[in-house]
């Protein structure tokens, strides 16, 4: 039996990344490094910065990443993709093409004798009316159907502009703010108070690395990201979980056909 891996917030294709392909290569290199001992892979949301499935058309890009996932799935790795607040609009195509299971909300699962609460983390422990409105809007079937009728070149350009704007407009991902200010810590603590006490709470979304005990039994992890931290969690056969960062060695720069690429 192999291990179970968790990553989140790769934001592949984000307009704020200087060379998005390098980030994609790094994720793929990580997947290559784990695939031989990986039984199950959990992608915990915001893996792609923007994605929308039309009936016959999907956004371009991500070929290395999606190809690697497909190959892993073909080899028998069970892959789970949780939608985040960026890759909301994965419908039937990606799961079928890759051969993975899609999750559009939090899940409680049992693995290796441990109970895990898994969620991307957006909207949990936050009680903002604006956020609720926006979430309702983005998840609304009618809005999604209407969005489909906009020409893909227009809607995709708009989505990239929107994502870039919200990223650049101030401090979207502040440093760890302390237990009483972190919504996800508050959310998890509330679950424990109300009698739900899993062994692990696993979240993404915040782009920070966090690993804390919330009670004698419950441990909480926030998975970091693949923009700053290149981090992941891994569970071994005994149900022990650890949070780590991918060491990719020296980055070599090479020019091929006049194009400079970074090799991780
Ligand atoms: Mn997010």
């Amino acid at each position: 039996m192999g291990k179970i891996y968790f990553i989140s917030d790769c934001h592949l294709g984000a307009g704020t990344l200087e060379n998005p392909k390098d980030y994609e290569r790094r994720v793929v290199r990580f997947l290559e490094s784990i695939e031989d001992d990986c039984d199950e892979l959990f992608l915990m949301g915001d893996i792609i910065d923007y994605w929308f499935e039309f009936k016959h058309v999907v956004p371009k890009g991500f070929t290395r990443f999606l190809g690697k996932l497909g190959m892993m799935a073909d080899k028998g790795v069970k892959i789970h993709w949780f939608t985040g607040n960026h890759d909301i609009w994965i419908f039937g195509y990606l799961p079928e093409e890759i051969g993975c299971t899609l999750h559009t909300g939090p899940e409680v699962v049992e693995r290796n004798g441990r109970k895990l609460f898994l969620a991307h983390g957006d909207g949990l422990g936050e009680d903002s009316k604006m956020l609720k409105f926006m979430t309702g809007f983005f998840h609304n079937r009618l809005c999604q159907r209407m969005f489909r009728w906009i020409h893909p070149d227009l809607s995709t350009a708009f989505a990239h502009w929107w994502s870039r704007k919200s990223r650049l407009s101030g401090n979207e991902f502040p440093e760890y703010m302390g237990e009483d200010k972190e919504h996800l810590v508050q959310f998890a603590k509330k679950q424990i108070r109300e009698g739900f006490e899993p062994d692990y709470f696993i979240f993404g979304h915040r782009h920070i690395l966090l690993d804390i005990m919330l009670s004698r039994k419950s441990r909480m992890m926030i998975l970091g990201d693949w923009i700053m931290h290149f981090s992941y969690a891994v569970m071994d056969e005994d149900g022990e979980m650890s949070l780590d960062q991918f060491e990719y060695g020296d980055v070599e720069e090479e020019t091929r056909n006049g194009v400079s690429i970074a090799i991780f």
Side-chain angles (χ1 to χ4, degrees), residues 60-73:
K60 61 183 181 183
F62 326 110
T63 47
R64 288 163 185 79
F65 177 68
L66 297 177
K68 178 45 82 183
L69 289 184
M71 287 165 74
M72 287 172 75

Side-chain angles (χ1 to χ4, degrees), residues 9 11 44-46 84-87 120-122 172-173 204-207:
D9 296 273
H11 288 267
M44 296 306 305
D46 287 358
N85 50 313
H86 280 255
D87 47 6
H120 177 63
D122 56 309
E172 202 194 2
F173 303 114
H205 187 55
R206 276 287 285 114
H207 294 237

Side-chain angles (χ1 to χ4, degrees), residues 30-251:
F30 166 71
L31 294 177
E32 277 170 353
S33 78
I34 64 165
E35 66 183 326
D36 288 337
D37 77 343
C38 175
D39 265 0
E40 211 167 355
L41 171 66
F42 285 87
L43 304 169
M44 296 306 305
D46 287 358
I47 299 299
I48 293 179
D49 199 59
Y50 169 71
W51 181 266
F52 192 93
E53 290 176 14
F54 295 85
K55 201 167 177 192
H56 299 286
V57 174
V58 293
K60 61 183 181 183
F62 326 110
T63 47
R64 288 163 185 79
F65 177 68
L66 297 177
K68 178 45 82 183
L69 289 184
M71 287 165 74
M72 287 172 75
D74 287 350
K75 283 208 286 187
V77 178
K78 286 183 245 73
I79 302 174
H80 301 263
W81 193 316
F82 282 65
T83 52
N85 50 313
H86 280 255
D87 47 6
I88 310 167
W89 301 294
I90 298 173
F91 305 124
Y93 167 73
L94 260 195
E96 202 189 317
E97 184 65 22
I98 293 168
C100 68
T101 310
L102 186 73
H103 304 272
T104 54
E107 299 275 0
V108 178
V109 302
E110 297 222 11
R111 293 290 186 279
N112 304 338
R114 306 296 166 104
K115 186 180 279 185
L116 296 91
F117 177 93
L118 306 172
H120 177 63
D122 56 309
L124 298 182
E126 281 176 273
D127 203 23
S128 138
K129 282 210 174 85
M130 184 61 183
L131 188 80
K132 286 214 168 99
F133 172 76
M134 293 296 274
T135 308
F137 181 72
F138 287 144
H139 286 91
N140 184 285
R141 284 291 175 95
L142 181 67
C143 295
Q144 289 170 358
R145 213 169 303 154
M146 283 165 68
F147 194 76
R148 267 191 178 177
W149 287 98
I150 306 171
H151 191 279
D153 279 342
L154 278 179
S155 56
T156 308
F158 172 77
H160 281 299
W161 171 81
W162 177 268
S163 170
R164 194 182 158 81
K165 188 174 87 78
S166 61
R167 188 82 36 84
L168 296 176
S169 69
N171 205 354
E172 202 194 2
F173 303 114
E175 293 284 301
Y176 180 54
M177 301 184 293
E179 280 188 34
D180 20 320
K181 288 207 180 118
E182 288 289 340
H183 293 300
L184 292 174
V185 177
Q186 290 302 311
F187 170 83
K189 281 187 164 179
K190 186 159 175 278
Q191 303 302 308
I192 294 172
R193 276 201 307 277
E194 289 171 0
F196 174 66
E197 198 174 10
D199 298 283
Y200 298 106
F201 286 93
I202 308 289
F203 300 105
H205 187 55
R206 276 287 285 114
H207 294 237
I208 56 172
L209 283 164
L210 185 70
D211 180 0
I212 52 170
M213 293 303 296
L214 297 176
S215 69
R216 275 187 68 177
K217 184 178 176 220
S218 263
R219 189 166 153 199
M220 165 174 172
M221 287 183 181
I222 299 183
L223 296 169
D225 67 10
W226 281 76
I227 296 171
M228 300 280 291
H229 302 293
F230 312 103
S231 47
Y232 62 96
V234 54
M235 181 189 252
D236 66 20
E237 286 112 86
D238 302 321
E240 280 309 307
M241 189 86 102
S242 53
L243 198 56
D244 211 342
Q245 284 173 285
F246 180 53
E247 304 275 344
Y248 49 87
D250 296 331
V251 180

